[in-house]
Structures are given as structure tokens and as C-alpha cells.
Amino acid sequence: MKPWQTHPSKSKAESGDDTGAEKGIHRIIKLYQIYQLQSMRLVCLNELQRVECIHVFYLTNQAKSMLKKILLVVILLCNLIPSAAFASFSDVESGALYEESITWLQEQGITPPDKAKFSPEKLMTKGDLYELAWRAAGYKPEPSTKVSTPFSDLSSASRYAPYAKKAFETGIIKEKGLFNPGQKMKRIEVLETLFAVMGIGITRHYGTDEIIFKDIRPKSAYAPIVKTAQEFGIRVGNTQFKPKEKVTRGEVADYIHTISTQITTP
């Protein structure tokens, strides 16, 4: 046997037990091993060796060319993996109103990793709002994390416990007692919570003619939050803000996406 000749043992890929992806990996490894033979080329010292050397040189260069092609395909596939792996939730159709925002949240790890559906048309609950808001702010405890809270309606095993406790510790929620995780959230409550959790300063100085929504009085308690939402370009309608309207999970995903991409863009 010549130094450049190898007889690797039969792999799973060759036996047909592996998946297509595993076969591809095995083939790349095998070709890389062949490619390494180039570094083992013999120095042709006489006429008898010359033919063998040319043969090995041809094989290694052929392997090199094939390896480059396969690696190029692998790189292209890897570039497609984020959009394929995060091909949105099973209940978010392509072209849906909030598809881009929901997919972005998923790609950023803001949506919980243990959820297969997003339910964009369902109304947003307080528990889910605090979970998404804190994860958007960078606080992402494991779903199995157990913590005690000052809220009697949240057990330590509740998925919302870490987020509720964080809100209490940071002063966003000031009172103990009930957290009400299933409470349906109004638009003004959602935006106020998102701004607080994500550290967005509320605009409090503005002209009385700067509020574009006809149902919001410039001096009302809602006006500063509405003005801040305007500045971020949050989609809430053309002329009516409807502060007390319950909002959907899809709408909240859009709010978070809009805020996050602006505060992270220089």
C-alpha cells in the first residue's frame, strides 16, 4: 500500500443508515481527507515514480475542486438556515399582516423557545406581555426557572413568575397581591408597559397640536404615552388611537419590533 492510499472503515453514510444531512457531512469529511493527501505528494526522483506522482496530484486537485463546490453549497445553505429554521410559527401564514414582526421576534429569541404557535389574533394577556417585554429587553430566563413572587396568584413554577418578580423588583409594578396574568391588556397599558420595561423615556414636553389622534386630548394622562408612540412610528390607526381597546398578540409583536429596531439602530 502506498503512503497516500487509505481504506477507511465503512461509515453509516455508506451503509444507508444516516440522514441526507449526515451523508453530506460524511462526504465532506471524506473529501477533506482526500484533499489532505495533497500535502503528502511524493517528490518524483526518477522516471518510475513520475507516473504515480502525477496520478496522485490529479486526484488531489480533483478532490480540491469538488470540495470547494460542496463547501460553497453548504455555505449557501447555512445562510438560508435562519429564515428556514425560523419559518415563523405554524399559525402565522406567509404574507400575514404581522408576519415580519413575529418572525423577527422569533429570530431574536424574544418569543419563548417552547412555543410552537404564536396565536396572533388572540388578545394579549398581562402574563404574555410581561414575558415578551422582558425578553425584548434582554432578560431571558429558562422556561423552567422557578422563583417566588409577591403575587398570590403566581406559583413559583409559573412561566410568568420570573418576569413578574423582575417588574416588582424594578418598581414597574409597585403593589403586591394579585398579578392577574390572564388579564386582557388595553393598548395604552401595553405601550406603557413596553416603554417602562424596555427603558424608553416618555415624551412629556410637546405642543398641543402635536398629538395627531382626534380621540386624545393633549393634556390627558394618556397624551405623553401616545406622543412617544407617535415618535416611534408605532402603527395604531390613522385618526383614532383607541387607548382602551384590547389589542392582539400580533399588534404587540409589531409594537415590540418597531421599538426594538429603532433603539438598536444608531
Side-chain angles (χ1 to χ4, degrees):
M1 180 180 293
K2 301 294 188 284
W4 58 82
Q5 293 177 323
T6 59
H7 293 289
S9 59
K10 191 174 183 181
S11 66
K12 283 185 177 181
E14 293 171 324
S15 65
D17 294 331
D18 281 351
T19 64
E22 291 172 330
K23 288 180 180 179
I25 293 171
H26 281 300
R27 182 161 179 76
I28 290 173
I29 293 172
K30 187 173 181 180
L31 286 172
Y32 180 71
Q33 291 172 339
I34 296 173
Y35 169 58
Q36 285 183 312
L37 294 176
Q38 185 173 2
S39 63
M40 300 171 60
R41 290 200 304 270
L42 301 179
V43 178
C44 299
L45 300 177
N46 54 53
E47 294 296 328
L48 293 177
Q49 291 177 310
R50 183 172 299 168
V51 174
E52 288 183 318
C53 288
I54 292 174
H55 182 60
V56 172
F57 183 79
Y58 170 75
L59 285 177
T60 54
N61 275 275
Q62 185 183 48
K64 179 180 178 181
S65 176
M66 188 177 296
L67 180 62
K68 282 183 176 180
K69 292 178 181 177
I70 292 177
L71 289 178
L72 178 61
V73 172
V74 171
I75 291 171
L76 290 173
L77 289 174
C78 287
N79 287 333
L80 292 175
I81 283 175
S83 59
F86 297 106
S88 197
F89 294 89
S90 60
D91 59 347
V92 179
E93 297 180 0
S94 177
L97 179 58
Y98 302 115
E99 179 200 10
E100 180 182 352
S101 294
I102 294 170
T103 301
W104 185 87
L105 262 62
Q106 191 178 25
E107 290 173 348
Q108 301 303 313
I110 295 173
T111 53
D114 59 337
K115 293 289 187 72
K117 293 184 178 182
F118 189 79
S119 304
E121 300 302 323
K122 286 188 176 182
L123 294 178
M124 176 59 71
T125 63
K126 186 175 181 179
D128 286 342
L129 173 63
Y130 274 85
E131 181 178 44
L132 290 176
W134 277 116
R135 292 180 70 84
Y139 178 58
K140 301 176 181 179
E142 293 296 324
S144 59
T145 301
K146 294 184 178 182
V147 299
S148 59
T149 75
F151 305 106
S152 59
D153 56 347
L154 284 182
S155 70
S156 61
S158 169
R159 66 179 302 114
Y160 305 125
Y163 309 105
K165 182 179 181 180
K166 187 80 169 175
F168 183 78
E169 291 175 340
T170 55
I172 294 172
I173 297 178
K174 304 185 185 308
E175 297 181 1
K176 301 178 181 180
L178 298 177
F179 180 73
N180 296 315
Q183 174 187 329
K184 304 299 189 296
M185 301 297 286
K186 301 172 184 177
R187 178 172 289 110
I188 197 70
E189 294 172 331
V190 166
L191 289 170
E192 185 176 24
T193 300
L194 291 179
F195 291 151
V197 172
M198 299 175 74
I200 305 299
I202 303 299
T203 303
R204 300 191 182 278
H205 301 286
Y206 49 85
T208 57
D209 60 342
E210 293 183 41
I211 302 296
I212 64 174
F213 300 100
K214 295 181 178 180
D215 59 341
I216 300 297
R217 296 192 307 274
K219 294 184 179 181
S220 71
Y222 300 149
I225 296 172
V226 174
K227 182 63 171 68
T228 305
Q230 282 182 204
E231 292 176 347
F232 273 95
I234 292 174
R235 294 188 290 184
V236 292
N238 296 322
T239 61
Q240 300 289 316
F241 187 83
K242 300 179 181 179
K244 296 183 178 181
E245 182 177 70
K246 304 293 198 309
V247 295
T248 66
R249 292 171 54 82
E251 288 178 282
V252 175
D254 193 54
Y255 297 168
I256 294 174
H257 182 206
T258 301
I259 296 170
S260 299
T261 52
Q262 290 195 50
I263 63 178
T264 57
T265 301

